[in-house]
Amino acid sequence: MKNALFIVFALFTSLLFSQETCEKKDIKVGLVLSGGGAKGFAHVAVLKVLEEAGVRVDYIGGTSMGAIVGGLYAAGYSATELDSIIRTVDFNQILSNNTPRKSKPFYEKDDGEKYALTLPIRKRSVGIPKAMSEGQNVLNLLTDLTQHVNSIHDFNKLPIPFLCIATNLETGKQEILNQGFLPLAIKASGSLPTLLAPVEIDGKLLTDGGVVNNFPVEEVKSLGPDVIIGVDIQSGLDSKEELDSALKILNQIVGFQMHKTLDYKYKMVDLLIKPNLNDYSVLSFDKINEIMKQGDSASRANMKQLLNIAKCQIKVKTKQNKTTDFKIFHISKIEITGNKHYTRSYILGKLNLKQKDSTSYKSLIESVNNLTATGNFEIIQYEIDESDDGNIVKFNVKETDVSNLLKLGIHYDDLYKTGVLLNLTSKHLLFKNDIFSADIILGDNLRYNLNYFIDNGFYWSFGLKLRYNTFNENIKVISETTNKINLDYEDFTNQAYMQTVFSRKFAIGAGIEQKRVIASTETINLYEGAIYDSANNKLYFDKSNYFNLFAYLKLDTYDKSYFPKEGLFLDAGMLYYATSSDFNNTFNPFSQLKANFGIATTVFNKLTFQFISEAGLTLGENENRALTFNVGGYGENFINNFIPFFGYDFAELEGNGFLKSGLTLRYEFIKKNYFSLAGNYARVDEDIFNEGRIFENTMSGYMVGYGLETFLGPVEVHHTWSPDHKENYWYFNVGFWF
């Protein structure tokens, strides 16, 4: 029966679009595009066939992915241009919350990249995020692609009149979006529940339109077309065997409502194109070619009807509006609305924008990424309006409603052993723009790290740091009685500092510091420069309080904290030891200079070359061995003057100065799996320059290892050795370093 009806329907359609009909009028075509996630690639294939047949689309309505494709087509893109766009977009990146690491503020790079799990705290209860992503990357892409129609807020005035459907989460009813900010409307229509967070427009909380109306035929019909072409990419309901994931179950529930009305909607369509996409899901973003092929086949099966429609239309050359990332525009004014807890200077500082600047659209997106990377805003909407003396850039921000966060992490390494990280982060606690973070590390070595920072953007920012660090390790020493000691090391460091950013890339800061160092052992009771405490049965290398001044310069454009593929790194600083309680009675004021430089580059997207160079120099007399440079071992978060070096044991090399360089070759043989080979070279001495002979007594070490990226952080196994001696070492760590 269904086949018979289809044949009758096809014959009726063929007669409808006969040459005789064409003589009466220039018919207008309405195009309806359904939702379906990645299956929406088929829409692009259908549009290509429509253009090939010569069909002029006069109205477009869509839902979800249909809204995205339809909105861009309505904005002036050709089907061929849309094909190029979908093939160049990294959908995994776009649909994630990830922003380029180089966009993150220095505070976040230093202290925010060590947590495996982050949970919001609302009303004193720990919850879960609204969705996997807020969708800022999606909005950035859509805003960039629709720059040329930025000033059009009535969608009927687009090159092709357009509407899309969203679902009102409060009422459960549909919202027809046909005016406003085009990228935001499209995003709202495509905000798939659990994947993308809902969007607020005009006080209404909106989500994916497919929940209530995935095929808006009636809405397009109301625009007044003579003919409606519908493209339905929905699949049938899944069987119980196929319902094996939360997303599939959610789609099934959503699908109940949609399938009830489909027969009625199909009757309202003059020509239905329905690709066979049963083998694909809403997340099949890696199946572009296969999905496009299905869309092409389904369209060409209706080529006769499409050609007849085209014959009934007057040929009008459609103006295509194209954009360019390289277009430079002058900013005459910056407007910011929606901010409550964050000042204008803070937002401008993160955007790295100033009035009278000249920038490009590409740079503007990078600026938005900088602001997004703070984690303080759910969505950042931006528009560019032309004015007599330049362009007005308008930002409308929505701050996140979460000001308190619980963060968790785990780690194991050979020095600190097992650690569980508990963090409480609180924003705008005392002042606007401030952030407080408290790390408590439980495990073999109890530690804490407290940070308070008032971020003032372009202006000077202020911070406090309180840290306690401890470890116990066997280290090599030069002694008549022993060659190793069991070192107990404790460090209490409290800092107050100020920081600013210059040249939009560098962080520069200075401050004051109180430090207490306790270094002791029970292994021996006699060592030059150390004091034996018979009451505690410990030999103390140091037990002093120090009051210091410090300054630093930082640059960090690495694309990743661990296993970086591209970017530069610089951390240079000065620490002046001004006064001391002088436990050893040997203290004289002195300074230490340290610098760490790194560069990474990747060829063939697989092989990374990472070069590092590090140096330390003591100015003045330092007779305290607890404050000299101690080189050796492997680790990412060594404190004070402990410096990692392949081929030697932890802190095996000691002196008041050092020079170190190394090269690591890292090959990603499987995604997120790395094979590494490294060589490093160093000179550690009291006088590293030695009248210009800096390469005398150079030590070398080598490493071969395996690394894996996981949601817990890096997992690494390293084997290191040195031709300078017969010993070799194995190192193992798992999780983010803290």
Side-chain angles (χ1 to χ4, degrees), residues 47 114 221 233 279 455 479 531-532 538 548 577 622:
L47 287 170
K114 54 191 176 185
K221 189 177 183 66
I233 57 173
D279 295 333
D455 195 335
S479 171
I531 298 176
Y532 181 72
K538 284 187 176 183
N548 313 320
Y577 289 83
N622 172 31

Side-chain angles (χ1 to χ4, degrees), residues 129-188:
K130 295 178 181 177
M132 293 176 59
S133 171
E134 293 292 346
Q136 185 64 52
N137 291 332
V138 175
L139 184 60
N140 286 349
L141 176 64
L142 294 173
T143 302
D144 183 39
L145 293 172
T146 58
Q147 302 160 13
H148 56 292
V149 294
N150 181 75
S151 60
I152 299 176
H153 295 94
D154 182 352
F155 300 168
N156 288 316
K157 296 180 180 180
L158 291 169
I160 302 175
F162 170 74
L163 63 83
C164 60
I165 305 298
T167 301
N168 189 317
L169 274 175
E170 289 184 291
T171 65
K173 297 180 179 180
Q174 76 170 19
E175 298 287 343
I176 300 175
L177 305 178
N178 56 12
Q179 59 184 357
F181 186 53
L182 181 62
L184 196 64
I186 294 173
K187 179 184 177 297

Side-chain angles (χ1 to χ4, degrees), residues 26-46:
D26 175 31
I27 67 172
K28 295 188 180 295
V29 173
L31 180 64
V32 183
L33 304 177
S34 79
K39 292 185 284 186
F41 295 146
H43 289 319
V44 179
V46 172

